[in-house]
Amino acid sequence: MENSLESLSILLVFDQRNRLLVRINSKQCVEPTYTSKAREVCRFTEDCVEPVTGVAGKAYLLSQHTTVDQALLIYCALQSDVVVENGRYYSLDQIQTESANGQLNISPLLAEVLLKIEPDLIRIPYLDSTETEYIYRFRTAKERNSAIYIDQQSEELYQSKLCRAIKAARRTKEKIAGEPAVLDFGAVTYVIPSHFGFCLGVQNAIERAYETVAANPTKRVFMLSELIHNPFVNEDLLARGIRYLQTDKGLPICEDGSIASSSASPNTLWNQLTSEDVVIIPAFGATNEDKLRLLRRGLSIRENDATCMLVEKVWKAARRYAREGYTVIIHGKSEHEETKATFSNSSSHGPALMIRNMEHARLLTEVIQAQGAEKIQLFEDSFKGLHSKGFDPAKDLQKLAVVNQTTLLRNETLTIIEFFRKFMVQCYGEAQVAEHLWSKGKGDTLCYATQVNQDALHKAVEQPIDAALVVGGKNSSNTFQLHRVCEQRFGENAHYIQSEANILTSDQIRHYVFPCPSVQTSSAKEVVRPFLNAMPEPKRILLTGGASCPDGLIQQVIHKINSFFPPRSIRSIESILKAFEVES
């Protein structure tokens, strides 16, 4: 910084609810609480702002702006207990609203500062996080708090002695699939993979949600959208008073539960939020746009953010790739909450593009090879609505780095990465590939929890099986991927169900047809298929659950199927547990 420049430093203090501390001066004008001119610029440092009365701890450089005659540095401190004379905390929306209607007179300096920090607002709740820290780390077994959600109301949903025994015996390593458990009830045998059901990210999110409800008995508690893709878990949370702000497709919900025709409608829960409310961010994460809406309204974000750390790992990778000049290619479903959140996060750091499958990857290579107007037209025809603002296919497709929606099949993402690698070899030669495709730690953003469930299922499908049941929510992407594995092996004897209620009789089961553009399926949403009576004796059934499937549902499916057989032909759960423990 040149000494001839006049230096002006501003320190903004935000509390836990992202409200800004301002000072009302003698002219009844609202201005920044702390300013420092000329050589006093070092008064606000990256390490400490203790010289400033009432503020202790770190200040972070939020943004820096230099004009011909002035250098403006804007720092930010996160502290809730600062008190200054004639000071008051305002949400940013409140400042804007009261200023517009004449209730608040904002100084020109504060108006300028608020305008300049607009692009950096999303950073404020996370300023004290380092590159190696995560919003919500996985809890260890000792830190688990299952008692917060397993009670009389929800015990059948979440509890299963059988599933607990299987996991204890077969999950010798969290990240490595073991041999499946074979449970012989007599008339029917169940083959259950070593890894199934809740992953650590889902467990974290569920505990965070129930803990938040318990900790805020007098406040309204909302979730941005469904906490996880399981209707029974979400219904249990609704029964405890939680409300959803929007659907899993981002459509705003009204107070009466209906979907609003417009996000501007005053009837939407979004538009009725106050700074006293609590909003939980689900395991999928949230777009920067949604987080900013919460931040501007003066709602706490950080302490109620249940984003899975493996999703956040993808975001950190995308940020790293963007810094090194790579365009981030996101393999995912553009309508999925997680992909939308990853795209929003990635776009704030550099060019980003969503692709759905291998066919999309091939189209992208055609765009790269095209020239001039043809390139632009082909890009818009193939990727309209799937790229970041200002994306330039002429320069933004020269260096690519691939990340993925964590619930997709790992091998599909790796296949796409390998396809791009071979393409780059053809274009630039083997020696130049690393300059055009990120290749350090190929696939390092793929979710091990999703993958180990798939690996465990691949071991289970090798067993002699008459039918396979995959249990999970209708909008659960990872459950669909598990069903695809079973369907490839067992065809129409692989059934996708939500709970035991889909087992209609011993002869009929209601199978859900997951809508997937990349896979040719029936136009029907559900089909009734033959079930037990079509199988030979004794029956052998493969049973697994998606990452958002509670253990209780697995045991309820077993109980329902067992009920179709004469009691004398079915061994008790207790005898199965004892035999299983001996075998293990």
Side-chain angles (χ1 to χ4, degrees):
M1 192 180 301
E2 295 181 13
N3 294 331
S4 60
L5 289 179
E6 179 185 350
S7 297
L8 178 64
S9 294
I10 307 292
L11 175 63
L12 302 177
V13 177
F14 285 87
D15 69 2
Q16 196 173 41
R17 284 190 279 166
N18 302 299
R19 297 179 307 169
L20 176 63
L21 177 64
V22 296
R23 185 193 302 274
I24 302 173
N25 64 25
S26 58
K27 297 179 181 179
Q28 297 302 301
C29 188
V30 177
E31 61 183 8
T33 306
Y34 302 108
T35 61
S36 179
K37 292 184 178 180
R39 296 182 182 180
E40 295 179 1
V41 66
C42 294
R43 194 177 183 192
F44 308 140
T45 71
E46 286 291 316
D47 298 317
C48 187
V49 291
E50 286 181 359
V52 179
T53 305
V55 181
K58 265 193 171 184
Y60 302 87
L61 183 61
L62 189 64
S63 62
Q64 185 173 340
H65 311 270
T66 304
T67 62
V68 175
D69 55 359
Q70 185 184 68
L72 176 63
L73 292 91
I74 304 174
Y75 291 87
C76 181
L78 308 176
Q79 195 171 335
S80 298
D81 56 356
V82 178
V83 178
V84 297
E85 187 179 357
N86 297 320
R88 180 179 170 185
Y89 285 98
Y90 282 92
S91 73
L92 297 181
D93 272 359
Q94 188 180 6
I95 291 175
Q96 184 177 24
T97 301
E98 294 189 12
S99 173
N101 61 27
Q103 291 179 279
L104 203 61
N105 184 19
I106 299 179
S107 71
L109 177 59
L110 180 59
E112 179 188 1
V113 167
L114 293 180
L115 185 64
K116 289 187 180 300
I117 67 169
E118 189 69 31
D120 298 292
L121 283 179
I122 193 63
R123 295 173 49 211
I124 290 174
Y126 308 100
L127 279 173
D128 57 352
S129 294
T130 67
E131 195 65 30
T132 58
E133 289 179 323
Y134 288 86
I135 298 167
Y136 192 18
R137 281 193 172 274
F138 291 156
R139 290 174 169 178
T140 65
K142 290 183 179 180
E143 293 170 332
R144 293 254 76 88
N145 186 20
S146 59
I148 196 71
Y149 63 89
I150 298 177
D151 54 20
Q152 203 167 24
Q153 177 175 318
S154 61
E155 187 169 4
E156 283 191 8
L157 176 62
Y158 291 112
Q159 280 283 65
S160 168
K161 291 181 180 178
L162 196 59
C163 292
R164 190 162 59 244
I166 293 169
K167 291 177 180 179
R170 291 293 187 262
R171 290 190 181 186
T172 54
K173 293 185 178 179
E174 187 65 39
K175 297 183 181 182
I176 300 176
E179 292 302 315
V182 180
L183 309 180
D184 184 359
F185 278 84
V188 58
T189 295
Y190 299 93
V191 177
I192 302 180
S194 63
H195 291 67
F196 63 91
F198 280 173
C199 62
L200 293 178
V202 166
Q203 285 182 323
N204 259 17
I206 287 174
E207 288 175 15
R208 172 63 62 90
Y210 283 90
E211 286 168 348
T212 302
V213 173
N216 296 279
T218 62
K219 291 187 176 184
R220 297 194 305 172
V221 180
F222 298 89
M223 282 193 287
L224 193 60
S225 61
E226 290 183 345
L227 180 73
I228 59 173
H229 284 160
N230 187 283
F232 304 100
V233 171
N234 288 312
E235 285 166 12
D236 187 63
L237 285 164
L238 285 171
R240 296 169 191 257
I242 279 184
R243 304 286 300 278
Y244 300 135
L245 292 179
Q246 58 194 27
T247 69
D248 62 337
K249 300 297 183 288
L251 302 174
I253 296 174
C254 294
E255 193 171 7
D256 62 3
S258 63
I259 297 175
S261 56
S262 167
S263 58
S265 170
N267 295 323
T268 66
L269 292 172
W270 259 116
N271 291 326
Q272 295 175 10
L273 286 176
T274 73
S275 61
E276 297 300 318
D277 294 326
V278 176
V279 177
I280 302 166
I281 293 174
F284 317 109
T287 64
N288 285 353
E289 293 76 16
D290 282 341
K291 284 186 176 181
L292 281 173
R293 290 177 74 182
L294 298 175
L295 183 153
R296 296 188 67 87
R297 282 182 174 270
L299 278 83
S300 173
I301 295 178
R302 176 78 172 272
E303 66 176 343
N304 301 311
D305 192 340
T307 300
C308 172
M309 65 178 287
L310 295 182
V311 172
E312 192 184 356
K313 181 182 178 183
V314 174
W315 300 353
K316 288 177 180 290
R319 182 162 63 243
R320 186 167 69 250
Y321 301 156
R323 284 174 183 162
E324 297 199 24
Y326 289 84
T327 290
V328 176
I329 306 297
I330 304 161
H331 173 215
K333 296 185 287 186
S334 60
E335 71 276 13
H336 193 282
E337 300 105 308
E338 182 193 320
T339 300
K340 288 191 287 189
T342 297
F343 175 73
S344 174
N345 195 284
S346 301
S347 299
S348 65
H349 300 288
L353 177 71
M354 293 178 280
I355 62 172
R356 195 178 195 99
N357 48 32
M358 178 58 80
E359 180 56 31
H360 241 171
R362 289 193 183 95
L363 283 171
L364 190 60
T365 59
E366 289 181 17
V367 171
I368 294 172
Q369 294 176 91
Q371 300 293 325
E374 181 190 357
K375 179 191 285 282
I376 295 171
Q377 189 61 53
L378 183 59
F379 179 74
E380 283 304 317
D381 290 345
S382 303
F383 298 99
K384 185 177 181 180
L386 300 176
H387 57 81
S388 53
K389 186 177 180 181
F391 196 102
D392 184 353
K395 68 179 181 66
D396 293 335
L397 293 174
Q398 295 177 18
K399 297 180 68 174
L400 308 180
V402 180
V403 300
N404 81 331
Q405 178 183 318
T406 60
T407 52
L408 295 184
L409 288 173
R410 173 187 174 92
N411 288 339
E412 288 189 1
T413 303
L414 291 176
T415 300
I416 287 172
I417 293 173
E418 182 59 22
F419 170 75
F420 282 138
R421 195 195 74 79
K422 290 179 179 178
F423 173 75
M424 293 301 184
V425 169
Q426 292 175 1
C427 292
Y428 303 104
E430 186 74 49
Q432 301 299 317
V433 168
E435 294 183 20
H436 298 277
L437 181 69
W438 180 273
S439 55
K440 304 171 192 172
K442 184 175 69 173
D444 63 352
T445 66
L446 306 185
C447 172
Y448 72 79
T450 298
Q451 184 59 40
V452 76
N453 278 9
Q454 294 164 10
D455 292 343
L457 182 58
H458 277 291
K459 288 190 175 187
V461 298
E462 296 303 319
Q463 295 271 335
I465 299 293
D466 297 315
L469 302 184
V470 182
V471 188
K474 290 183 177 181
N475 52 349
S476 171
S477 179
N478 77 84
T479 304
F480 170 64
Q481 304 303 336
L482 295 177
H483 173 259
R484 283 179 64 189
V485 172
C486 291
E487 188 177 45
Q488 288 166 6
R489 179 71 184 231
F490 307 115
E492 291 195 354
N493 289 322
H495 312 297
Y496 187 147
I497 64 175
Q498 282 70 64
S499 71
E500 80 285 352
N502 291 87
I503 304 171
L504 306 178
T505 66
S506 63
D507 194 36
Q508 291 185 322
I509 188 167
R510 185 185 293 117
H511 160 74
Y512 175 64
V513 181
F514 192 94
C516 183
S518 62
V519 179
Q520 191 171 6
T521 58
S522 163
S523 59
K525 291 186 176 180
E526 291 183 327
V527 294
V528 176
R529 292 173 167 178
F531 190 41
L532 291 175
N533 295 349
M535 301 180 201
E537 299 285 349
K539 325 290 186 186
R540 286 181 67 88
I541 298 174
L542 188 154
L543 177 59
T544 190
S548 54
C549 175
D551 286 352
L553 290 184
I554 299 292
Q555 186 153 324
Q556 288 168 34
V557 168
I558 291 174
H559 180 74
K560 179 73 172 281
I561 294 173
N562 287 355
S563 72
F564 294 130
F565 298 92
R568 64 181 179 277
S569 69
I570 293 293
R571 297 191 180 100
S572 68
I573 288 278
E574 288 71 26
S575 66
I576 292 294
L577 280 171
K578 186 176 291 186
F580 182 67
E581 288 167 1
V582 170
E583 174 202 334
S584 300

